[in-house]
Amino acid sequence: MISIKNLEFRYRNKELFNNLNIEIEDKKITSIIGKNGSGKSTLVKILIGLYRYNGNITIDGVSLLKDTIKEIRKKIGVVFTNPDNQFVAETVMDDIAFTLENMNYKKDDIRKKIEEVTKYLGIYDILEANPHDLNSNQKQLVSLASALVHEPKVLILDEALTMLDPYDKEKILKILKELNNQGLTIINISHDIEDTMISDKIYVLDEGKIILEGTKEEVYKEEKLLHKLGFDLPFMVELSNRLMFYDLIEQPIYEMEKMVDVLWK
Ligand code: ADP
């Protein structure tokens, strides 16, 4: 769905990416994690067409170039860390409409699309509220609605789960998993390894380079390397490893409910 080949990018006095290669598979959840300064935000800015780069990036078969950026923006939706910085209107309705107005949707279609997406996300009853007055979970759902309302093929989460408390995070992760099951490709960019638990594939970025890539199982096996890069294993992985050491479980279990079930028996 997204192919990044031989990406080169430098800030005036600093080379950040040199021959960076990333393949984001269609209909999968891919996480890209890295500590502060590893290049995550720069990568997002490149993908949404804010920075010029050298190399080849294609999104859904279209080369990411100045001339194609409008076409590409229709294919992607982005949710950032802090929704407050993204709200542009005084009501949730107008805020979500903004994306569609920019894409020249007709008034009737705008109304219909907003109704659909907000009903799906459970925020239909707050369409007249001021987005700034909402709680953090609702705010992030409004951002998600704005990112999804034009039915993109790819959703990019730029540290979008970071500010949520564990309860809200759990709820949003469930929605994301469901959207993914319906065919949405998701790129989850984060500094927190806990956020990788829902991914099919993980890339670990450090100082502009991919140091580790693979499935969850492959990446979580590299505990030493992860430590060196500043990451502890996710809680459920650590717990699974310890319980396996004492022969209390036979294989890793990453979902808490499942873990409780198995241990209870
Ligand atoms: P992350 O999002 O992973 O924290 P960034 O993409 O923000 O990483 O930064 C990667 C590197 O590029 C860092 O060393 C940072 O100092 C540098 N950098 C980021 N933005 C700029 C900029 N506007 N000008 C110069 N250097 C920058």
Side-chain angles (χ1 to χ4, degrees), residues 67-239:
D67 299 344
T68 56
I69 193 62
K70 262 201 154 159
E71 187 185 347
I72 284 196
R73 290 221 175 115
K74 289 184 188 159
K75 296 175 184 285
I76 58 179
V78 192
V79 184
F80 297 94
T81 313
N82 189 349
D84 280 311
N85 295 340
Q86 278 186 89
F87 296 136
V88 289
E90 298 202 345
T91 65
V92 168
M93 166 84 101
D94 290 349
D95 204 83
I96 303 172
F98 185 73
T99 314
L100 298 177
E101 281 161 2
N102 277 335
M103 291 179 187
N104 301 322
Y105 277 68
K106 289 200 200 81
K107 259 211 158 103
D108 286 351
D109 291 341
I110 292 182
R111 177 84 224 185
K112 217 174 95 209
K113 289 246 173 277
I114 293 179
E115 196 178 309
E116 263 171 37
V117 76
T118 53
K119 277 187 176 159
Y120 176 71
L121 295 174
I123 51 171
Y124 182 66
D125 55 336
I126 54 168
L127 280 177
E128 295 308 321
N130 186 318
H132 292 285
D133 295 336
L134 303 173
N135 68 38
S136 61
N137 186 46
Q138 290 171 321
K139 281 179 183 171
Q140 207 51 298
L141 287 172
V142 172
S143 293
L144 191 58
S146 297
L148 293 174
V149 70
H150 61 296
E151 293 176 44
K153 294 200 166 173
V154 186
L155 179 69
I156 302 177
L157 305 167
D158 182 7
E159 301 274 3
L161 306 168
T162 310
M163 305 262 276
L164 295 168
D165 65 42
Y167 180 71
D168 286 345
K169 197 188 261 196
E170 196 64 33
K171 279 201 286 193
I172 295 212
L173 285 177
K174 249 193 193 144
I175 294 172
L176 292 173
K177 198 78 203 162
E178 195 179 292
L179 287 165
N180 174 245
N181 285 336
Q182 292 167 16
L184 182 70
T185 303
I186 298 179
I187 308 178
N188 169 39
I189 295 178
S190 175
H191 70 276
D192 187 352
I193 197 166
E194 290 291 341
D195 295 344
T196 62
M197 296 291 292
I198 56 160
S199 2
D200 299 298
K201 177 147 192 196
I202 303 174
Y203 285 91
V204 185
L205 194 62
D206 188 58
E207 293 185 5
K209 293 187 179 58
I210 298 296
I211 305 289
L212 190 56
E213 66 176 271
T215 61
K216 272 198 296 251
E217 291 75 13
E218 286 164 349
V219 168
Y220 297 158
K221 256 191 227 151
E222 301 291 334
E223 196 176 349
K224 269 199 187 134
L225 182 53
L226 287 170
H227 270 294
K228 223 171 100 189
L229 298 171
F231 294 105
D232 289 327
L233 289 176
F235 172 74
M236 288 305 291
V237 179
E238 188 92 50
L239 183 62

Side-chain angles (χ1 to χ4, degrees), residues 11 13-14 16 34-43 51:
Y11 286 110
N13 48 10
K14 185 184 159 76
L16 181 58
K35 287 288 162 186
N36 265 348
S38 57
K40 301 181 300 296
S41 329
T42 309
L43 187 62
Y51 287 160

